[in-house]
Amino acid sequence: MDTAGKTITCRAAIAWKEKSPLKIEEVQVEPPKSGEVRIKMASTGICGTDDHVLKGDLSMKYPLIPGHEGAGIVESVGDGVCSVKPGDKVLTLIVPQCGECDACLHCLGNFCDKQDILPCSGVMMDGTSRFSYRGQTVYHSFRTSTFTEYTVVPEFAVVKIDDAAPLDKVCLISCGVPTGYGAAVNSAKVTPGSTCVVFGLGGVGSAIVMGCKASGASRIIGVDINEQKFCRARALGVTDCLNPTKLQKPVQEVVMEMTGVGANFAFEAIGKIETMLAAWNSCNNSYGVCLIVGVAPVNTQLCLQAVSIVSGKTLKGVCLGDYKTKDCIPQLVTDYLQNKINIDPLVTHQLPFNELHKAMKLYYKGKTIRCVLLF
């Protein structure tokens, strides 16, 4: 059936308010307007940032459809769209690339001015939503909203990928893989023989571990309070696992004792102020680099001992591995297809969309690295 130009009724997960369980409802999805793309979703990963949304840690408008780590097929396009066409396999981009703003034009920038994360407006560029429920507006999440059978995104927030890409797995390459793997290989440029410490061994942290190993790190210390993750982490390349709740000393002191001089590279992939400070204090004082990958709750403050900065170590924020998304993410998909990177170990569970609540329980119990929902 030809659905182009028509409103589509489909299933979507709605967060009616913060700190409330998701409900699968029948929603209406309007056709794409000028410069927009409507996508029939094939898969979406459950990312820690989605948890931040549901807990109210980020500034959002409710009710909303969460999700951002998505893969699908273009159903229809609005006027002026030229980079994708109906039938193309695509990934959604939580960090877009408009190609016009300072961040996109600068050789080192990737946090596009047209991002809708900090803060999230909940609407498209014209100030309106494409989702509704029985006449009530339902807001977008980061202009991606992938927990739905159909979504509408701006053209600058979607990218075409190889036709051979398996859509049941490559959704991870829209967020988790570039965020983690890219933090190690592209942002930090981890050096052969170096020592790395990774705080958080979930989906993003596991991808960081993969990037550190691929870069030749000789020692990778993994830190997590959930010891169920340790076996998988070791299989990915972690050499030492630490549970901070079972240590007699602060974890940063233990890392210092283990390494003698501190880590060359420390990665925080949780989004908590205390673990950001622990990562900073785990670094070598002279040349260590601390990379903040996790998203902290809105309005929190990170306070460092000022005198510790002058010794020479570096604190760096990282968004999606510093990749310019439309330029670089298709290549990551190609690298996966050519066996240059292997994302398969990150996908520990795949469930149909109607088992969303089971998937969320697995996430909250720490049973997964990434659970992928299939439509």
Side-chain angles (χ1 to χ4, degrees), residues 222-343:
V223 182
D224 204 293
I225 61 173
N226 182 359
E227 294 187 5
Q228 296 179 81
K229 298 177 181 178
F230 288 174
C231 182
R232 291 192 184 112
R234 288 190 177 96
L236 292 174
V238 167
T239 54
D240 308 272
C241 293
L242 299 177
N243 180 348
T245 65
K246 293 186 176 180
L247 300 176
Q248 302 300 313
K249 300 177 181 179
V251 65
Q252 59 265 32
E253 291 185 21
V254 174
V255 171
M256 281 292 182
E257 290 177 0
M258 291 171 66
T259 59
V261 295
N264 299 88
F265 303 96
F267 300 87
E268 200 279 349
I270 301 170
K272 293 183 178 295
I273 298 302
E274 55 267 32
T275 46
M276 292 178 181
L277 289 171
W280 169 253
N281 290 318
S282 297
C283 281
N284 180 283
N285 285 327
S286 181
Y287 50 77
V289 182
C290 176
L291 297 101
I292 305 301
V293 183
V295 179
V298 67
N299 297 326
T300 54
Q301 300 289 322
L302 179 63
C303 299
L304 303 177
Q305 185 182 30
V307 72
S308 68
I309 300 173
V310 75
S311 63
K313 61 181 177 179
T314 302
L315 180 68
K316 176 175 171 53
V318 182
C319 181
L320 230 71
D322 287 327
Y323 289 119
K324 291 185 183 293
T325 50
K326 287 179 80 78
D327 291 344
C328 299
I329 283 182
Q331 184 59 51
L332 290 176
V333 174
T334 301
D335 288 346
Y336 168 59
L337 294 175
Q338 296 176 349
N339 298 314
K340 294 178 181 178
I341 58 173
N342 181 18
I343 69 170

Side-chain angles (χ1 to χ4, degrees), residues 180-228:
Y181 185 84
V185 303
N186 193 50
S187 302
K189 293 180 171 57
V190 168
T191 50
S194 60
T195 295
C196 301
V197 57
V198 181
F199 287 78
L201 297 173
V204 170
S206 296
I208 292 171
V209 170
M210 292 172 61
C212 292
K213 183 178 180 181
S215 299
S218 61
R219 190 174 194 181
I220 304 172
I221 302 169
V223 182
D224 204 293
I225 61 173
N226 182 359
E227 294 187 5
Q228 296 179 81

Side-chain angles (χ1 to χ4, degrees), residues 32-320:
K33 295 185 180 180
S34 178
E36 298 175 356
V37 179
R38 189 161 63 182
I39 305 167
K40 186 180 190 301
M41 299 306 301
S43 67
T44 183
I46 298 175
C47 176
T49 304
D50 301 318
D51 182 44
H52 292 326
V53 169
L54 299 177
K55 287 181 176 177
D57 289 342
L58 298 175
S59 178
M60 311 292 290
K61 287 185 177 180
Y62 298 86
L64 61 78
I65 297 173
H68 60 277
E69 191 177 74
I73 296 174
V74 174
E75 175 269 337
S76 61
V77 300
D79 292 342
V81 172
C82 58
S83 64
V84 296
K85 64 183 184 304
D88 284 345
K89 288 184 177 182
V90 294
L91 296 180
T92 56
L93 303 175
I94 183 173
V95 177
Q97 184 182 349
C98 73
E100 300 172 345
C101 69
D102 173 69
C104 289
L105 295 174
H106 194 281
C107 63
L108 298 179
N110 83 322
F111 199 66
C112 176
D113 285 358
K114 291 183 180 176
Q115 57 81 25
D116 199 45
I117 309 168
L118 302 174
C120 179
S121 70
V123 292
M124 300 295 279
M125 295 300 292
D126 68 350
T128 64
S129 172
R130 301 295 166 267
F131 300 118
S132 61
Y133 173 78
R134 297 181 180 178
Q136 178 181 356
T137 295
V138 177
Y139 292 100
H140 296 251
S141 176
F142 312 133
R143 294 198 188 107
T144 49
S145 289
T146 58
F147 285 15
T148 172
E149 292 175 315
Y150 287 85
T151 193
V152 178
V153 302
E155 182 181 12
F156 54 70
V158 65
V159 66
K160 184 183 185 304
I161 57 173
D162 194 301
D163 289 338
L167 294 181
D168 63 330
K169 292 181 180 177
V170 294
C171 59
L172 272 65
I173 299 179
S174 82
C175 178
V177 170
T179 297
Y181 185 84
V185 303
N186 193 50
S187 302
K189 293 180 171 57
V190 168
T191 50
S194 60
T195 295
C196 301
V197 57
V198 181
F199 287 78
L201 297 173
V204 170
S206 296
I208 292 171
V209 170
M210 292 172 61
C212 292
K213 183 178 180 181
S215 299
S218 61
R219 190 174 194 181
I220 304 172
I221 302 169
V223 182
D224 204 293
I225 61 173
N226 182 359
E227 294 187 5
Q228 296 179 81
K229 298 177 181 178
F230 288 174
C231 182
R232 291 192 184 112
R234 288 190 177 96
L236 292 174
V238 167
T239 54
D240 308 272
C241 293
L242 299 177
N243 180 348
T245 65
K246 293 186 176 180
L247 300 176
Q248 302 300 313
K249 300 177 181 179
V251 65
Q252 59 265 32
E253 291 185 21
V254 174
V255 171
M256 281 292 182
E257 290 177 0
M258 291 171 66
T259 59
V261 295
N264 299 88
F265 303 96
F267 300 87
E268 200 279 349
I270 301 170
K272 293 183 178 295
I273 298 302
E274 55 267 32
T275 46
M276 292 178 181
L277 289 171
W280 169 253
N281 290 318
S282 297
C283 281
N284 180 283
N285 285 327
S286 181
Y287 50 77
V289 182
C290 176
L291 297 101
I292 305 301
V293 183
V295 179
V298 67
N299 297 326
T300 54
Q301 300 289 322
L302 179 63
C303 299
L304 303 177
Q305 185 182 30
V307 72
S308 68
I309 300 173
V310 75
S311 63
K313 61 181 177 179
T314 302
L315 180 68
K316 176 175 171 53
V318 182
C319 181
L320 230 71

